[in-house]
């Protein structure tokens, strides 16, 4: 019978310099529309604000925001670089704590029915409390000046989606795959290692992508409730009350940039760890 | 005499399986099943949907415990046979691990059995050559067609040389042409390896073409109604499907499927009859 009857042969990767150039070209073309739209939107923003003569406190021009970003990069009052770094550290710390806790609880709940009965209602209840309500508590428990209190805010937000998704990934395994492992006389731990964990990886990365954004929200909301003044949350509050909205926007821009950096880092990890998964396969031309 | 000396690979004695789920009424999936399978035999279990043929396969493989009766495999209880890795399983879906390459999928059982790495690699390669996928070692399952994926599953099942290969409608999801090609493939592998195969199907031509014996089952409760010896000469090939004896045997199995044990034939045994017709048939009988 023919060996090339399937799609496999056709999808074999071509290598070599010519293929490399073609690949890079396709990639540029793939991203071109997004770049064009982005640049056009910025230009339109600039033009509309200038044409309508909008005041800075309503909406500053993009050029004014960039100017504020440069001018206040290492300013003693609105130190944007120091603040962005501090906020990023809080977010990443919270991401790590929340993810670790979420994964641990997911393993416990998927392994033991009793753990599921005890932990799930608590997790759901904790998730139902608006995050803002936790901020004064966290400041009290972990120190208003300590970055740990902001990390814990981020961790609370991160915990639930990670826990819920990883649990699902560990539990929703093809029944036939479990029958197969049973027919090999595999131990429960082997099933976890060879089937459940790999099966849960795509779910984990989906949660992690959500969690990057959530960790920044948690950190910045935590900062609103007091602590060090050189953090993005405080810069936003202080510059707004000083009517320096160009600085406010610059701080928001940095927050967004931090979010994008974290997100892309997760996408990179995804390509390394789950290259076989449909979400990774189809995201590239 | 020799056949009496050698004990059967599988011996089922008076096996019964009753499913009870919550408050629902109990369903008898299998009743009074007696069956011996000899070493190197190719036995097909055939019957309409819901006749318990897949359940019977899982009882043999110790994936389901019978409510009553005894399953002896290679002279041991089925549970011990499973722990000693006597079974290779192939399901209707290939059940490949998406995250493993073709080669690593075939190595999986060998990893679990703790075989040395060098042996795993050599064995996986050899098995993939056997199913003619030697050029696809580093591919991922998503890069293969359905038929190719099922061949990987067969290679995986054979990789650790199990005493018995249990196949649950392995080609049920494939188109007719691919299915016929896979049938020839399985026969070739069976002739080459001499493995005992128990094969669940609902295709009469498939069962007749492949088997040494076809076990015909009836539903509710699942029982064995007839065992048809398939005496088509071997080796069989595509031409075997056009011999008069083949058609005779297909007819014989089809007629056996129409019978319901010792009751008169009615259309219910075919399985796919619309309910109106069934009501009429029952009315005519009762």
């Amino acid at each position: 019978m023919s060996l090339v009857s399937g799609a496999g042969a056709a999808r074999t990767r071509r290598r070599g310099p010519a293929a490399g150039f073609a690949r890079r070209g396709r990639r540029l073309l793939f991203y071109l529309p997004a770049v064009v739209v982005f640049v056009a939107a910025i230009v339109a923003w600039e033009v509309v604000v200038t044409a309508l003569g909008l005041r800075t406190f309503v909406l500053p021009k993009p050029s004014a925001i960039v100017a504020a970003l440069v001018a206040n990069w290492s300013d003693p009052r609105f130190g944007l670089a120091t603040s962005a770094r501090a906020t990023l550290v809080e977010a990443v710390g919270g991401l790590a704590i929340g993810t670790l806790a979420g994964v641990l609880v997911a393993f416990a709940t998927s392994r033991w029915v009793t753990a599921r009965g005890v932990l799930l209602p608590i997790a759901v209840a904790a998730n139902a409390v608006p995050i803002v309500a936790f901020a004064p508590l966290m400041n009290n428990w972990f120190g208003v000046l300590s970055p740990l209190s902001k990390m814990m805010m981020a961790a609370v937000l991160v915990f639930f989606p990670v826990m819920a998704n990883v649990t699902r990934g560990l539990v929703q395994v093809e029944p036939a795959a479990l029958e197969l492992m049973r027919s090999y006389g595999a131990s429960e731990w082997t099933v976890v290692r060879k089937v459940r964990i790999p099966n849960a990886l795509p779910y984990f990365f989906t949660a992690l992508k959500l969690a990057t954004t959530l960790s920044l929200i948690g950190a910045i909301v935590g900062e609103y409730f007091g602590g060090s003044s050189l953090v993005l949350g405080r810069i936003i509050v202080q510059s707004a009350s000083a009517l320096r909205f160009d600085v406010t926007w610059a701080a928001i821009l940095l927050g967004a940039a931090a979010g994008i950096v974290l997100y892309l880092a997760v996408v990179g990890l995804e390509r390394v760890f789950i290259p076989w998964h449909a979400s990774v396969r189809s995201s590239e031309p | 005499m020799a056949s009496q000396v050698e004990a059967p690979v599988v011996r089922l004695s008076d096996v019964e399986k009753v499913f009870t789920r919550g408050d629902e009424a109990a369903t008898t999936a299998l009743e009074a099943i007696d069956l011996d399978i000899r070493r190197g035999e190719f036995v097909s279990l055939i019957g309409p949907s819901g006749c318990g043929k897949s359940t019977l396969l899982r009882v043999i493989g110790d994936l389901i415990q019978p409510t009553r009766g005894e399953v002896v495999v290679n002279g041991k209880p089925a549970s011990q046979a499973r722990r000693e890795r006597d079974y290779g399983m192939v399901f209707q879906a290939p059940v490949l691990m998406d995250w493993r390459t073709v080669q690593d999928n075939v190595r999986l059982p060998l990893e679990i059995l703790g075989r040395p790495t060098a042996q795993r690699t050599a064995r996986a390669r050899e098995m993939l050559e056997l199913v003619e996928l030697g050029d696809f070692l580093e591919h991922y399952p998503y890069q293969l067609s359905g038929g190719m994926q099922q061949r990987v599953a067969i290679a995986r099942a054979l990789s650790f040389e199990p005493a018995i290969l249990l196949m649950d409608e392995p080609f049920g999801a494939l188109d007719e042409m691919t299915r016929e090609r896979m049938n020839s493939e399985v026969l070739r592998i069976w002739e080459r390896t001499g493995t005992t195969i128990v094969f669940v199907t609902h295709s009469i031509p498939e069962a007749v073409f492949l088997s040494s014996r076809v076990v015909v089952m009836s539903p509710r409760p699942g029982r064995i109604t007839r065992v048809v010896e398939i005496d088509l000469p071997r080796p069989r090939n595509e031409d075997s499907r056009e011999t008069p004896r083949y058609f005779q045997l297909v007819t014989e199995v089809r007629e056996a499927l129409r019978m319901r044990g010792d009751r008169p034939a009615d259309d219910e045994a075919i399985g796919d009859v619309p309910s109106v017709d069934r009501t009429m048939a029952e009315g005519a009988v009762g």
Side-chain angles (χ1 to χ4, degrees):
Chain A
M1 73 195 302
S2 167
L3 291 179
V4 289
S5 57
R11 286 204 213 164
T12 309
R13 271 199 178 173
R14 276 173 297 152
R15 288 179 202 280
F21 280 126
R23 219 174 122 79
R24 232 162 288 155
R26 271 205 309 280
R27 207 186 255 202
L28 278 181
L29 270 181
F30 179 76
Y31 290 115
L32 192 63
V35 173
V36 168
V37 169
F38 181 75
V39 172
I42 299 287
V43 171
W45 178 352
E46 184 86 29
V47 170
V48 167
V49 172
T50 314
L52 297 180
L54 291 180
R55 307 271 296 277
T56 309
F57 69 84
V58 178
L59 186 64
K61 285 184 280 195
S63 57
I65 296 171
V66 172
L69 187 66
V70 174
N72 296 285
W73 187 251
S74 47
D75 182 78
R77 186 174 170 210
F78 300 128
L80 288 175
T82 317
S83 306
R85 202 177 309 126
T87 300
L88 191 60
V89 166
E90 291 166 3
V92 170
L95 194 59
I97 297 168
T99 303
L100 188 67
V103 168
L104 287 178
V105 172
F107 269 95
T109 53
S110 62
R111 178 67 185 80
W112 295 289
V113 181
T114 324
R116 198 173 313 161
V118 175
L119 293 171
L120 268 190
I122 297 176
V124 172
N127 186 54
V129 179
I131 183 66
V132 182
F134 280 120
L137 290 178
M138 294 297 172
N139 281 343
N140 184 36
W141 287 341
F142 301 101
V144 69
L145 286 171
S146 161
L148 190 60
S149 61
K150 317 305 181 254
M151 286 182 190
M152 294 312 286
M153 287 286 290
V156 169
L157 274 186
V158 164
F159 169 78
F160 194 78
V162 171
M163 194 269 305
N165 274 283
V166 173
T167 302
R168 179 180 284 196
L170 290 171
V171 173
Q172 282 186 358
V173 172
E174 210 180 333
L178 298 178
E179 279 194 318
L180 188 73
M181 294 303 277
R182 190 174 148 78
S183 80
Y184 298 149
S187 68
E188 187 56 39
W189 170 234
T190 306
V191 176
V192 169
R193 261 186 323 136
K194 306 259 182 207
V195 180
R196 294 191 188 276
I197 291 178
N199 188 67
L201 279 180
Y203 293 85
F204 171 73
F205 281 111
T206 301
L208 209 53
K209 282 191 221 167
L210 273 173
T212 54
T213 325
L214 290 174
S215 69
L216 276 161
I217 294 176
I220 290 176
V221 168
E223 289 162 1
Y224 284 168
F225 287 82
S228 159
S229 53
L230 278 179
V231 290
L232 287 182
R234 294 305 305 165
I235 300 289
I236 289 168
V237 172
Q238 284 163 16
S239 62
S241 57
L243 303 181
R244 288 290 308 276
F245 289 102
D246 50 344
V247 177
T248 312
W249 277 92
I252 292 172
L253 189 67
L254 280 175
I260 291 168
V261 166
L262 286 180
Y263 187 88
L264 290 179
V266 175
V267 170
L269 288 177
E270 221 178 23
R271 289 201 181 167
V272 173
F273 285 103
I274 53 168
W276 44 269
H277 192 252
S279 67
V280 175
R281 270 157 32 207
S282 56
S283 67
E284 211 183 309
Chain B
M1 287 308 283
S3 63
Q4 285 180 336
V5 172
E6 199 182 356
V9 179
V10 178
R11 164 159 281 173
L12 298 165
S13 335
D14 195 25
V15 167
E16 181 179 288
K17 178 64 196 178
V18 181
F19 284 111
T20 37
R21 196 182 298 162
D23 311 330
E24 287 171 47
T27 352
T28 308
L30 296 171
E31 194 177 78
I33 302 283
D34 289 296
L35 183 68
D36 279 5
I37 298 171
R38 294 183 293 272
R39 190 167 306 282
E41 236 190 332
F42 196 127
V43 172
S44 288
L45 309 176
I46 194 168
S49 310
C51 73
K53 53 193 192 297
S54 289
T55 306
L56 182 55
L57 191 81
R58 282 171 169 73
V59 166
I60 297 174
D62 189 45
L63 297 174
I64 293 177
Q65 269 64 51
T67 313
R68 206 167 65 130
E70 201 184 19
V71 185
V72 178
V73 176
N74 278 332
K76 315 167 271 208
S79 59
Q80 190 186 343
R82 178 176 63 77
R83 282 194 303 274
E84 291 176 7
R85 280 87 181 210
D86 280 353
Y87 302 112
M89 291 278 323
V90 179
F91 301 95
Q92 180 167 357
V95 203
L96 301 178
M97 309 295 159
D98 293 339
W99 48 88
R100 286 170 167 256
T101 59
V102 164
Q103 180 173 219
D104 287 344
N105 264 289
V106 177
R107 290 160 52 126
L108 174 69
L110 302 170
E111 279 172 38
I112 294 170
L113 268 60
R115 299 276 174 85
T117 316
Q119 191 194 337
R120 289 178 209 162
T121 310
R123 190 72 192 151
R125 215 161 272 233
E126 188 187 329
M127 286 302 108
L128 284 164
E129 298 286 345
L130 182 69
V131 297
E132 299 186 329
L133 286 173
D135 293 337
F136 295 87
L137 299 178
E138 298 299 332
H139 283 63
Y140 281 99
Y142 75 88
Q143 296 171 310
L144 305 183
S145 67
M148 293 162 101
Q149 292 188 5
Q150 200 55 282
R151 270 146 66 199
V152 177
I154 293 170
R156 178 180 59 190
L158 291 170
S159 65
F160 56 103
E161 292 171 318
I164 309 154
L165 194 54
L166 302 175
M167 306 178 88
D168 188 10
E169 296 188 36
F171 311 132
L174 304 179
D175 62 83
E176 194 63 27
M177 270 122 39
T178 314
R179 176 194 279 239
E180 288 193 357
R181 224 166 47 203
M182 295 296 292
N183 285 168
S184 303
E185 190 98 341
V186 162
L187 268 193
R188 187 176 59 79
I189 292 167
W190 175 67
E191 278 158 9
R192 190 100 78 83
T193 58
T195 311
T196 310
I197 298 185
V198 186
F199 191 98
V200 167
T201 181
H202 51 234
S203 160
I204 301 170
E206 184 172 68
V208 171
F209 178 66
L210 293 173
S211 312
S212 337
R213 279 191 298 159
V214 174
V215 175
V216 180
M217 297 180 66
S218 75
R220 279 160 268 135
R223 300 166 176 247
I224 295 174
T225 47
R226 252 199 85 188
V227 177
V228 182
E229 290 279 345
I230 307 296
D231 52 9
L232 282 177
R234 295 192 187 271
R236 295 174 193 168
N237 52 36
E238 289 306 317
D239 296 336
S240 311
R241 291 186 196 267
E242 280 152 27
T243 60
R245 183 63 189 145
Y246 172 79
F247 288 112
Q248 273 173 13
L249 287 163
V250 166
T251 307
E252 208 176 319
V253 172
R254 181 169 291 129
E255 278 168 2
L257 276 166
R258 284 174 184 274
M259 301 283 290
R260 280 196 67 178
D262 46 5
R263 279 195 249 167
D266 76 31
D267 279 342
E268 199 180 353
I270 309 302
D272 300 315
V273 189
S275 55
V276 180
D277 288 358
R278 187 153 60 212
T279 321
M280 284 168 65
E282 276 168 5
V285 171

